[in-house]
Amino acid sequence: MSSPAGGNSSARPIAIIGGTGPAGSGLGLRWARAGESIIIGSRDAKRAEEAASKTRQKAGVNANVSGMENADACAAADILVLTVPFESQAGILKQLKASITEGSILIDATVPLAASVGGRPSRPLGVWQGSAAQQAAELVPKGVSVVAAFHNVSAELLNGDDPLDCDVIVCSDDPDAAQLTRELAAKISGVRPVDGGKLENARIVEQITALLIGMNIRHKGHAGIRITGLPPNAYR
Amino acid sequence: MSSPAGGNSSARPIAIIGGTGPAGSGLGLRWARAGESIIIGSRDAKRAEEAASKTRQKAGVNANVSGMENADACAAADILVLTVPFESQAGILKQLKASITEGSILIDATVPLAASVGGRPSRPLGVWQGSAAQQAAELVPKGVSVVAAFHNVSAELLNGDDPLDCDVIVCSDDPDAAQLTRELAAKISGVRPVDGGKLENARIVEQITALLIGMNIRHKGHAGIRITGLPPNAYR
């Protein structure tokens, strides 16, 4: 991640669980373009391979993107990004528990929206643990660090070619995992990472997505957020 | 508010309840500079008058700023801005109920922080009604519209001279009251108003403040937010 040249760090692949959805495929595309080695995970290996092929076409000839069934993707990487609908999150984590290697980092981008239970996408659901990310932290094996990030980035814009106009707020109780995630965020053109503090703060960051979705519905936009007023060292 | 010339609308004063605190005095200063007629309210009329005098000195000779005891301030205006600590909000509203005129607009900027009960200012408190603004809506007389706004603007920066770099998300169930509030927000140099939807969304906007306070503590900044990615008509 932190190679001095800022180049290809394919020695450490990134597995995107639920990587065939809009958010996962958009993150995969952006990171593939930045030279990262990407494994797109799906419940269905064939779908994963098709998505990987599409991402390779969009990202360019040198892109390092493969597709695997979710459990194989977990076993092949120690940086995992979870981009699934909230209603699938707990089930998938339970199912993948045995495949997640100790020492892995799980970057959770899950947003608990009422749409998961037939309600509005502009309303958050209350999660007993406080947030979807904290629910994830309860479900991963021991020795796996959970980071909450990438909730507020428009999936549609991620799948495009333009630089984004959005900051990524990163919350975690593991400072090293948070820093690695901030470095990954900074690899997306136009994105600045912001230290959001402890994992418990994910409950606020997740809810911001519901607010942005409401704005998108009312104004037909692709809303994102920028954090202003912090010194430069807060954005790395 | 919506005079075609965009000039002095002192025919309709703005009463800032709790206006001697940093947020209230900062808003009063900015609006006084924009030509608005401001009444600074306080529990103590003498303190209110002292704060008004200070604001007049900072805002310039033409500034129209007076100070009154809170109940008198309410009776003298139909645009009320509530900038009190969360622990005082319910008590003050109950006490002022008889002084608030039917048809008034109450703009609530209260943020329910754990600091109100001896906890951290970077953690929100849960409010049974959903948000401090919804608690306010339960406590105002019938025929008074509640708007939630100005939670995320740095009080310290409001009290300065530079344009702000922050959007104000406005939530209300009354579209006219929301529009008037967005017009007031736009009178603060550098601020763009953003339609945040219904009052229930105040719970998210209030919590953002706790997140920003955490960032300020970690990075010694004056964090604010900008909403990106919406069409121009979403910012007015």
Side-chain angles (χ1 to χ4, degrees):
Chain A
M1 292 296 86
S2 51
S3 62
N8 195 317
S9 45
S10 57
R12 204 173 174 188
I14 303 165
I16 305 179
I17 310 305
T20 58
S25 64
L27 288 171
L29 173 63
R30 296 291 177 151
W31 285 326
R33 282 183 176 153
E36 296 296 317
S37 173
I38 303 297
I39 302 168
I40 293 181
S42 169
R43 273 169 301 182
D44 177 17
K46 202 170 142 60
R47 264 195 83 202
E49 281 159 24
E50 285 165 9
S53 164
K54 268 193 196 165
T55 301
R56 274 195 304 273
Q57 281 168 33
K58 286 174 79 174
V61 279
N62 294 320
N64 190 345
V65 187
S66 56
M68 296 182 189
E69 194 274 327
N70 280 330
D72 295 334
C74 281
D78 68 352
I79 302 173
L80 314 176
V81 182
L82 189 63
T83 57
V84 296
F86 177 62
E87 65 268 27
S88 311
Q89 189 208 30
I92 283 185
L93 283 176
K94 283 177 195 167
Q95 186 196 317
L96 294 178
K97 195 163 184 174
S99 311
I100 300 177
T101 325
E102 203 185 314
S104 289
I105 290 166
L106 180 84
I107 303 170
D108 183 68
T110 310
V111 180
L113 299 176
S116 288
V117 293
R120 297 186 191 168
S122 57
R123 277 180 170 160
L125 283 180
V127 182
W128 188 262
Q129 295 87 339
S131 61
Q134 288 165 291
Q135 174 169 278
E138 229 181 57
L139 293 170
V140 294
K142 267 193 194 171
V144 173
S145 289
V146 172
V147 181
F150 302 110
H151 312 88
N152 306 327
V153 189
S154 157
E156 199 166 330
L157 298 182
L158 276 176
N159 282 289
D161 299 321
D162 296 332
L164 283 117
D165 184 8
C166 188
D167 292 339
V168 165
I169 301 171
V170 176
C171 303
S172 180
D173 297 333
D174 177 340
D176 295 335
Q179 194 191 323
L180 182 144
T181 305
R182 293 200 303 273
E183 288 169 12
L184 280 180
K187 285 175 185 279
I188 302 171
S189 175
V191 165
R192 295 182 309 182
V194 181
D195 174 8
K198 295 207 169 185
L199 194 67
E200 63 176 36
N201 292 341
R203 69 191 80 183
I204 305 177
V205 185
E206 292 173 6
Q207 293 190 22
I208 290 173
T209 303
L211 190 70
L212 299 178
I213 289 172
M215 291 175 183
N216 288 342
I217 292 171
R218 283 191 296 282
H219 296 290
K220 303 190 200 311
H222 296 100
I225 63 161
R226 289 286 194 193
I227 303 294
T228 62
L230 295 178
N233 67 4
Y235 298 103
R236 60 188 179 217
Chain B
M1 291 300 85
S2 51
S3 62
N8 195 316
S9 44
S10 58
R12 203 173 175 188
I14 304 165
I16 305 179
I17 309 305
T20 58
S25 65
L27 288 170
L29 173 63
R30 296 290 176 151
W31 286 325
R33 282 183 177 152
E36 297 296 316
S37 173
I38 303 297
I39 302 168
I40 292 180
S42 169
R43 274 168 300 180
D44 176 18
K46 202 170 143 60
R47 263 195 83 202
E49 280 160 25
E50 285 166 6
S53 165
K54 268 193 197 165
T55 301
R56 274 195 304 273
Q57 281 169 31
K58 286 175 78 174
V61 280
N62 294 319
N64 191 345
V65 186
S66 58
M68 295 182 190
E69 193 276 325
N70 280 329
D72 295 333
C74 281
D78 67 352
I79 302 174
L80 313 175
V81 182
L82 189 62
T83 56
V84 295
F86 177 63
E87 64 268 28
S88 311
Q89 189 208 30
I92 282 184
L93 283 175
K94 284 177 193 167
Q95 184 196 317
L96 294 178
K97 195 163 186 175
S99 311
I100 301 177
T101 326
E102 202 184 317
S104 290
I105 290 166
L106 180 84
I107 303 171
D108 182 69
T110 310
V111 179
L113 298 175
S116 288
V117 293
R120 296 185 192 170
S122 56
R123 278 180 169 158
L125 282 181
V127 182
W128 187 262
Q129 295 88 338
S131 60
Q134 288 165 291
Q135 174 169 277
E138 229 182 59
L139 293 170
V140 293
K142 266 192 194 171
V144 173
S145 290
V146 172
V147 182
F150 303 110
H151 311 88
N152 307 326
V153 190
S154 157
E156 198 167 329
L157 297 182
L158 276 175
N159 282 289
D161 299 322
D162 296 332
L164 283 117
D165 184 9
C166 188
D167 291 341
V168 166
I169 301 172
V170 176
C171 303
S172 181
D173 298 333
D174 178 338
D176 294 336
Q179 193 189 324
L180 182 144
T181 305
R182 293 199 303 272
E183 288 170 12
L184 280 179
K187 285 176 185 279
I188 301 170
S189 175
V191 165
R192 296 184 309 184
V194 180
D195 174 9
K198 296 208 167 182
L199 194 67
E200 63 176 35
N201 292 341
R203 70 190 80 185
I204 305 176
V205 185
E206 291 173 5
Q207 292 191 22
I208 290 172
T209 303
L211 189 70
L212 299 178
I213 289 173
M215 291 173 183
N216 288 342
I217 293 171
R218 282 191 297 283
H219 296 290
K220 303 190 199 313
H222 297 99
I225 63 161
R226 289 286 195 194
I227 303 294
T228 62
L230 295 177
N233 67 4
Y235 299 102
R236 59 188 179 220

mmCIF file of all heavy atoms in Angstrom, chain A residues 25 28-33 36-40 45-68 159:
data_model
loop_
_atom_site.group_PDB
_atom_site.id
_atom_site.type_symbol
_atom_site.label_atom_id
_atom_site.label_comp_id
_atom_site.label_asym_id
_atom_site.label_seq_id
_atom_site.Cartn_x
_atom_site.Cartn_y
_atom_site.Cartn_z
ATOM 1 N N SER A 25 -18.109 -2.752 -7.581
ATOM 2 C CA SER A 25 -17.464 -2.719 -8.893
ATOM 3 C C SER A 25 -16.825 -1.354 -9.136
ATOM 4 O O SER A 25 -15.765 -1.254 -9.759
ATOM 5 C CB SER A 25 -18.461 -3.077 -10.002
ATOM 6 O OG SER A 25 -19.472 -2.110 -10.079
ATOM 7 N N GLY A 28 -13.584 -1.313 -7.201
ATOM 8 C CA GLY A 28 -12.633 -2.184 -7.898
ATOM 9 C C GLY A 28 -12.045 -1.503 -9.123
ATOM 10 O O GLY A 28 -10.829 -1.557 -9.367
ATOM 11 N N LEU A 29 -12.913 -0.839 -9.869
ATOM 12 C CA LEU A 29 -12.460 -0.135 -11.075
ATOM 13 C C LEU A 29 -11.435 0.942 -10.729
ATOM 14 O O LEU A 29 -10.370 1.045 -11.346
ATOM 15 C CB LEU A 29 -13.675 0.497 -11.768
ATOM 16 C CG LEU A 29 -13.380 1.405 -12.953
ATOM 17 C CD1 LEU A 29 -12.708 0.618 -14.086
ATOM 18 C CD2 LEU A 29 -14.664 2.075 -13.468
ATOM 19 N N ARG A 30 -11.759 1.756 -9.714
ATOM 20 C CA ARG A 30 -10.866 2.859 -9.351
ATOM 21 C C ARG A 30 -9.517 2.339 -8.859
ATOM 22 O O ARG A 30 -8.467 2.884 -9.194
ATOM 23 C CB ARG A 30 -11.523 3.739 -8.282
ATOM 24 C CG ARG A 30 -12.801 4.433 -8.759
ATOM 25 C CD ARG A 30 -12.472 5.504 -9.791
ATOM 26 N NE ARG A 30 -13.687 6.129 -10.323
ATOM 27 C CZ ARG A 30 -13.721 7.381 -10.771
ATOM 28 N NH1 ARG A 30 -12.636 8.129 -10.771
ATOM 29 N NH2 ARG A 30 -14.849 7.871 -11.264
ATOM 30 N N TRP A 31 -9.558 1.286 -8.045
ATOM 31 C CA TRP A 31 -8.299 0.758 -7.512
ATOM 32 C C TRP A 31 -7.502 0.022 -8.589
ATOM 33 O O TRP A 31 -6.267 0.076 -8.587
ATOM 34 C CB TRP A 31 -8.581 -0.148 -6.310
ATOM 35 C CG TRP A 31 -8.932 0.630 -5.078
ATOM 36 C CD1 TRP A 31 -8.437 1.857 -4.711
ATOM 37 C CD2 TRP A 31 -9.852 0.252 -4.046
ATOM 38 N NE1 TRP A 31 -8.999 2.258 -3.516
ATOM 39 C CE2 TRP A 31 -9.862 1.288 -3.078
ATOM 40 C CE3 TRP A 31 -10.671 -0.861 -3.823
ATOM 41 C CZ2 TRP A 31 -10.655 1.238 -1.923
ATOM 42 C CZ3 TRP A 31 -11.450 -0.906 -2.685
ATOM 43 C CH2 TRP A 31 -11.437 0.132 -1.742
ATOM 44 N N ALA A 32 -8.195 -0.652 -9.484
ATOM 45 C CA ALA A 32 -7.490 -1.325 -10.591
ATOM 46 C C ALA A 32 -6.752 -0.283 -11.425
ATOM 47 O O ALA A 32 -5.606 -0.469 -11.821
ATOM 48 C CB ALA A 32 -8.482 -2.111 -11.445
ATOM 49 N N ARG A 33 -7.408 0.828 -11.684
ATOM 50 C CA ARG A 33 -6.758 1.909 -12.434
ATOM 51 C C ARG A 33 -5.546 2.467 -11.702
ATOM 52 O O ARG A 33 -4.611 2.968 -12.319
ATOM 53 C CB ARG A 33 -7.757 3.048 -12.669
ATOM 54 C CG ARG A 33 -8.733 2.744 -13.787
ATOM 55 C CD ARG A 33 -9.660 3.927 -14.023
ATOM 56 N NE ARG A 33 -10.536 3.676 -15.156
ATOM 57 C CZ ARG A 33 -11.744 4.216 -15.307
ATOM 58 N NH1 ARG A 33 -12.213 5.052 -14.381
ATOM 59 N NH2 ARG A 33 -12.464 3.947 -16.363
ATOM 60 N N GLU A 36 -3.717 -1.298 -8.243
ATOM 61 C CA GLU A 36 -3.928 -2.325 -7.222
ATOM 62 C C GLU A 36 -4.359 -3.644 -7.878
ATOM 63 O O GLU A 36 -4.940 -3.652 -8.967
ATOM 64 C CB GLU A 36 -5.005 -1.879 -6.231
ATOM 65 C CG GLU A 36 -4.650 -0.645 -5.423
ATOM 66 C CD GLU A 36 -3.459 -0.868 -4.515
ATOM 67 O OE1 GLU A 36 -3.369 -1.917 -3.873
ATOM 68 O OE2 GLU A 36 -2.590 0.032 -4.464
ATOM 69 N N SER A 37 -4.091 -4.713 -7.172
ATOM 70 C CA SER A 37 -4.521 -6.045 -7.616
ATOM 71 C C SER A 37 -5.866 -6.358 -6.953
ATOM 72 O O SER A 37 -5.967 -6.381 -5.728
ATOM 73 C CB SER A 37 -3.458 -7.049 -7.194
ATOM 74 O OG SER A 37 -3.907 -8.345 -7.454
ATOM 75 N N ILE A 38 -6.874 -6.579 -7.777
ATOM 76 C CA ILE A 38 -8.248 -6.670 -7.281
ATOM 77 C C ILE A 38 -8.815 -8.077 -7.486
ATOM 78 O O ILE A 38 -8.675 -8.655 -8.563
ATOM 79 C CB ILE A 38 -9.161 -5.671 -8.035
ATOM 80 C CG1 ILE A 38 -8.622 -4.239 -7.899
ATOM 81 C CG2 ILE A 38 -10.622 -5.773 -7.565
ATOM 82 C CD1 ILE A 38 -8.597 -3.710 -6.483
ATOM 83 N N ILE A 39 -9.447 -8.612 -6.460
ATOM 84 C CA ILE A 39 -10.224 -9.841 -6.598
ATOM 85 C C ILE A 39 -11.687 -9.482 -6.362
ATOM 86 O O ILE A 39 -12.045 -8.991 -5.291
ATOM 87 C CB ILE A 39 -9.804 -10.908 -5.566
ATOM 88 C CG1 ILE A 39 -8.306 -11.224 -5.714
ATOM 89 C CG2 ILE A 39 -10.649 -12.158 -5.728
ATOM 90 C CD1 ILE A 39 -7.752 -12.035 -4.551
ATOM 91 N N ILE A 40 -12.502 -9.684 -7.378
ATOM 92 C CA ILE A 40 -13.933 -9.424 -7.219
ATOM 93 C C ILE A 40 -14.590 -10.701 -6.718
ATOM 94 O O ILE A 40 -14.473 -11.756 -7.341
ATOM 95 C CB ILE A 40 -14.549 -8.955 -8.553
ATOM 96 C CG1 ILE A 40 -13.977 -7.570 -8.895
ATOM 97 C CG2 ILE A 40 -16.072 -8.936 -8.464
ATOM 98 C CD1 ILE A 40 -14.524 -6.971 -10.167
ATOM 99 N N ALA A 45 -19.102 -17.831 -8.679
ATOM 100 C CA ALA A 45 -17.769 -17.629 -9.260
ATOM 101 C C ALA A 45 -17.850 -17.130 -10.706
ATOM 102 O O ALA A 45 -17.058 -16.280 -11.131
ATOM 103 C CB ALA A 45 -16.967 -18.929 -9.203
ATOM 104 N N LYS A 46 -18.823 -17.658 -11.463
ATOM 105 C CA LYS A 46 -18.942 -17.275 -12.868
ATOM 106 C C LYS A 46 -19.305 -15.780 -12.997
ATOM 107 O O LYS A 46 -18.745 -15.047 -13.823
ATOM 108 C CB LYS A 46 -20.021 -18.146 -13.531
ATOM 109 C CG LYS A 46 -19.897 -18.246 -15.045
ATOM 110 C CD LYS A 46 -20.851 -19.308 -15.594
ATOM 111 C CE LYS A 46 -21.453 -18.880 -16.922
ATOM 112 N NZ LYS A 46 -20.491 -18.649 -17.983
ATOM 113 N N ARG A 47 -20.242 -15.345 -12.143
ATOM 114 C CA ARG A 47 -20.611 -13.911 -12.147
ATOM 115 C C ARG A 47 -19.414 -13.053 -11.767
ATOM 116 O O ARG A 47 -19.209 -11.967 -12.309
ATOM 117 C CB ARG A 47 -21.740 -13.638 -11.137
ATOM 118 C CG ARG A 47 -23.129 -13.638 -11.769
ATOM 119 C CD ARG A 47 -24.154 -13.011 -10.814
ATOM 120 N NE ARG A 47 -24.198 -11.552 -10.841
ATOM 121 C CZ ARG A 47 -24.672 -10.791 -9.854
ATOM 122 N NH1 ARG A 47 -25.116 -11.347 -8.742
ATOM 123 N NH2 ARG A 47 -24.684 -9.471 -9.976
ATOM 124 N N ALA A 48 -18.633 -13.548 -10.816
ATOM 125 C CA ALA A 48 -17.444 -12.804 -10.374
ATOM 126 C C ALA A 48 -16.462 -12.657 -11.534
ATOM 127 O O ALA A 48 -15.904 -11.575 -11.763
ATOM 128 C CB ALA A 48 -16.787 -13.517 -9.196
ATOM 129 N N GLU A 49 -16.267 -13.733 -12.290
ATOM 130 C CA GLU A 49 -15.328 -13.690 -13.416
ATOM 131 C C GLU A 49 -15.820 -12.743 -14.511
ATOM 132 O O GLU A 49 -15.027 -12.012 -15.118
ATOM 133 C CB GLU A 49 -15.086 -15.091 -13.970
ATOM 134 C CG GLU A 49 -14.099 -15.886 -13.111
ATOM 135 C CD GLU A 49 -14.216 -17.398 -13.317
ATOM 136 O OE1 GLU A 49 -14.687 -17.816 -14.399
ATOM 137 O OE2 GLU A 49 -13.859 -18.139 -12.383
ATOM 138 N N GLU A 50 -17.124 -12.778 -14.775
ATOM 139 C CA GLU A 50 -17.688 -11.853 -15.773
ATOM 140 C C GLU A 50 -17.488 -10.394 -15.349
ATOM 141 O O GLU A 50 -17.119 -9.543 -16.156
ATOM 142 C CB GLU A 50 -19.187 -12.124 -15.966
ATOM 143 C CG GLU A 50 -19.472 -13.387 -16.778
ATOM 144 C CD GLU A 50 -20.935 -13.839 -16.661
ATOM 145 O OE1 GLU A 50 -21.757 -13.072 -16.085
ATOM 146 O OE2 GLU A 50 -21.235 -14.948 -17.118
ATOM 147 N N ALA A 51 -17.737 -10.123 -14.045
ATOM 148 C CA ALA A 51 -17.554 -8.750 -13.551
ATOM 149 C C ALA A 51 -16.086 -8.340 -13.641
ATOM 150 O O ALA A 51 -15.767 -7.200 -14.003
ATOM 151 C CB ALA A 51 -18.055 -8.646 -12.109
ATOM 152 N N ALA A 52 -15.201 -9.281 -13.338
ATOM 153 C CA ALA A 52 -13.762 -8.998 -13.413
ATOM 154 C C ALA A 52 -13.361 -8.669 -14.843
ATOM 155 O O ALA A 52 -12.580 -7.735 -15.091
ATOM 156 C CB ALA A 52 -12.968 -10.190 -12.890
ATOM 157 N N SER A 53 -13.918 -9.403 -15.773
ATOM 158 C CA SER A 53 -13.611 -9.175 -17.183
ATOM 159 C C SER A 53 -14.070 -7.777 -17.620
ATOM 160 O O SER A 53 -13.332 -7.037 -18.282
ATOM 161 C CB SER A 53 -14.286 -10.271 -18.018
ATOM 162 O OG SER A 53 -14.318 -9.902 -19.370
ATOM 163 N N LYS A 54 -15.258 -7.406 -17.208
ATOM 164 C CA LYS A 54 -15.776 -6.055 -17.513
ATOM 165 C C LYS A 54 -14.870 -4.979 -16.919
ATOM 166 O O LYS A 54 -14.573 -3.966 -17.549
ATOM 167 C CB LYS A 54 -17.186 -5.879 -16.915
ATOM 168 C CG LYS A 54 -18.315 -6.250 -17.854
ATOM 169 C CD LYS A 54 -19.636 -5.734 -17.291
ATOM 170 C CE LYS A 54 -20.805 -6.410 -17.997
ATOM 171 N NZ LYS A 54 -22.069 -6.236 -17.279
ATOM 172 N N THR A 55 -14.472 -5.189 -15.657
ATOM 173 C CA THR A 55 -13.613 -4.194 -14.991
ATOM 174 C C THR A 55 -12.269 -4.075 -15.705
ATOM 175 O O THR A 55 -11.759 -2.966 -15.894
ATOM 176 C CB THR A 55 -13.402 -4.569 -13.506
ATOM 177 O OG1 THR A 55 -14.677 -4.623 -12.874
ATOM 178 C CG2 THR A 55 -12.542 -3.535 -12.789
ATOM 179 N N ARG A 56 -11.714 -5.223 -16.126
ATOM 180 C CA ARG A 56 -10.439 -5.189 -16.873
ATOM 181 C C ARG A 56 -10.587 -4.351 -18.137
ATOM 182 O O ARG A 56 -9.733 -3.542 -18.484
ATOM 183 C CB ARG A 56 -9.978 -6.600 -17.238
ATOM 184 C CG ARG A 56 -9.167 -7.290 -16.153
ATOM 185 C CD ARG A 56 -8.443 -8.517 -16.682
ATOM 186 N NE ARG A 56 -9.339 -9.491 -17.297
ATOM 187 C CZ ARG A 56 -9.988 -10.453 -16.645
ATOM 188 N NH1 ARG A 56 -9.828 -10.580 -15.348
ATOM 189 N NH2 ARG A 56 -10.770 -11.290 -17.273
ATOM 190 N N GLN A 57 -11.710 -4.571 -18.855
ATOM 191 C CA GLN A 57 -11.947 -3.802 -20.089
ATOM 192 C C GLN A 57 -12.008 -2.304 -19.824
ATOM 193 O O GLN A 57 -11.477 -1.502 -20.585
ATOM 194 C CB GLN A 57 -13.257 -4.249 -20.754
ATOM 195 C CG GLN A 57 -13.134 -5.545 -21.546
ATOM 196 C CD GLN A 57 -14.503 -6.101 -21.933
ATOM 197 O OE1 GLN A 57 -15.438 -5.332 -22.172
ATOM 198 N NE2 GLN A 57 -14.613 -7.411 -21.975
ATOM 199 N N LYS A 58 -12.689 -1.935 -18.713
ATOM 200 C CA LYS A 58 -12.826 -0.505 -18.407
ATOM 201 C C LYS A 58 -11.525 0.089 -17.858
ATOM 202 O O LYS A 58 -11.217 1.261 -18.084
ATOM 203 C CB LYS A 58 -13.956 -0.265 -17.383
ATOM 204 C CG LYS A 58 -15.364 -0.414 -17.973
ATOM 205 C CD LYS A 58 -16.445 -0.311 -16.900
ATOM 206 C CE LYS A 58 -16.744 1.118 -16.499
ATOM 207 N NZ LYS A 58 -17.908 1.176 -15.554
ATOM 208 N N ALA A 59 -10.774 -0.734 -17.130
ATOM 209 C CA ALA A 59 -9.614 -0.189 -16.404
ATOM 210 C C ALA A 59 -8.359 -0.144 -17.265
ATOM 211 O O ALA A 59 -7.428 0.597 -16.956
ATOM 212 C CB ALA A 59 -9.343 -1.012 -15.149
ATOM 213 N N GLY A 60 -8.330 -0.922 -18.346
ATOM 214 C CA GLY A 60 -7.146 -0.893 -19.215
ATOM 215 C C GLY A 60 -6.360 -2.185 -19.163
ATOM 216 O O GLY A 60 -6.524 -2.987 -18.237
ATOM 217 N N VAL A 61 -5.498 -2.348 -20.152
ATOM 218 C CA VAL A 61 -4.819 -3.627 -20.358
ATOM 219 C C VAL A 61 -3.967 -4.095 -19.187
ATOM 220 O O VAL A 61 -3.817 -5.293 -18.956
ATOM 221 C CB VAL A 61 -3.905 -3.586 -21.621
ATOM 222 C CG1 VAL A 61 -4.732 -3.809 -22.875
ATOM 223 C CG2 VAL A 61 -3.122 -2.286 -21.691
ATOM 224 N N ASN A 62 -3.401 -3.150 -18.453
ATOM 225 C CA ASN A 62 -2.515 -3.566 -17.363
ATOM 226 C C ASN A 62 -3.258 -3.890 -16.069
ATOM 227 O O ASN A 62 -2.630 -4.226 -15.069
ATOM 228 C CB ASN A 62 -1.477 -2.470 -17.083
ATOM 229 C CG ASN A 62 -0.535 -2.311 -18.258
ATOM 230 O OD1 ASN A 62 -0.130 -3.302 -18.867
ATOM 231 N ND2 ASN A 62 -0.202 -1.074 -18.585
ATOM 232 N N ALA A 63 -4.578 -3.753 -16.107
ATOM 233 C CA ALA A 63 -5.344 -3.949 -14.881
ATOM 234 C C ALA A 63 -5.243 -5.390 -14.397
ATOM 235 O O ALA A 63 -5.336 -6.330 -15.181
ATOM 236 C CB ALA A 63 -6.800 -3.570 -15.115
ATOM 237 N N ASN A 64 -5.073 -5.518 -13.098
ATOM 238 C CA ASN A 64 -4.923 -6.829 -12.472
ATOM 239 C C ASN A 64 -6.210 -7.137 -11.697
ATOM 240 O O ASN A 64 -6.324 -6.795 -10.524
ATOM 241 C CB ASN A 64 -3.696 -6.776 -11.559
ATOM 242 C CG ASN A 64 -3.302 -8.149 -11.052
ATOM 243 O OD1 ASN A 64 -4.084 -9.103 -11.152
ATOM 244 N ND2 ASN A 64 -2.101 -8.252 -10.514
ATOM 245 N N VAL A 65 -7.170 -7.749 -12.377
ATOM 246 C CA VAL A 65 -8.479 -7.988 -11.773
ATOM 247 C C VAL A 65 -8.903 -9.430 -12.038
ATOM 248 O O VAL A 65 -8.927 -9.874 -13.184
ATOM 249 C CB VAL A 65 -9.557 -7.048 -12.356
ATOM 250 C CG1 VAL A 65 -10.873 -7.201 -11.596
ATOM 251 C CG2 VAL A 65 -9.105 -5.589 -12.330
ATOM 252 N N SER A 66 -9.212 -10.168 -10.969
ATOM 253 C CA SER A 66 -9.727 -11.518 -11.149
ATOM 254 C C SER A 66 -11.061 -11.659 -10.421
ATOM 255 O O SER A 66 -11.443 -10.783 -9.633
ATOM 256 C CB SER A 66 -8.720 -12.541 -10.619
ATOM 257 O OG SER A 66 -8.426 -12.260 -9.265
ATOM 258 N N GLY A 67 -11.770 -12.724 -10.701
ATOM 259 C CA GLY A 67 -13.054 -12.968 -10.049
ATOM 260 C C GLY A 67 -13.059 -14.324 -9.366
ATOM 261 O O GLY A 67 -12.508 -15.286 -9.890
ATOM 262 N N MET A 68 -13.627 -14.374 -8.174
ATOM 263 C CA MET A 68 -13.682 -15.637 -7.418
ATOM 264 C C MET A 68 -14.965 -15.703 -6.601
ATOM 265 O O MET A 68 -15.568 -14.671 -6.296
ATOM 266 C CB MET A 68 -12.518 -15.724 -6.408
ATOM 267 C CG MET A 68 -11.134 -15.770 -6.987
ATOM 268 S SD MET A 68 -9.909 -15.943 -5.641
ATOM 269 C CE MET A 68 -8.394 -15.681 -6.568
ATOM 270 N N ASN A 159 -18.198 4.414 -10.797
ATOM 271 C CA ASN A 159 -18.152 3.624 -12.025
ATOM 272 C C ASN A 159 -17.874 4.463 -13.268
ATOM 273 O O ASN A 159 -17.808 3.924 -14.371
ATOM 274 C CB ASN A 159 -19.455 2.834 -12.192
ATOM 275 C CG ASN A 159 -19.475 1.599 -11.296
ATOM 276 O OD1 ASN A 159 -18.754 0.647 -11.543
ATOM 277 N ND2 ASN A 159 -20.277 1.635 -10.233
#
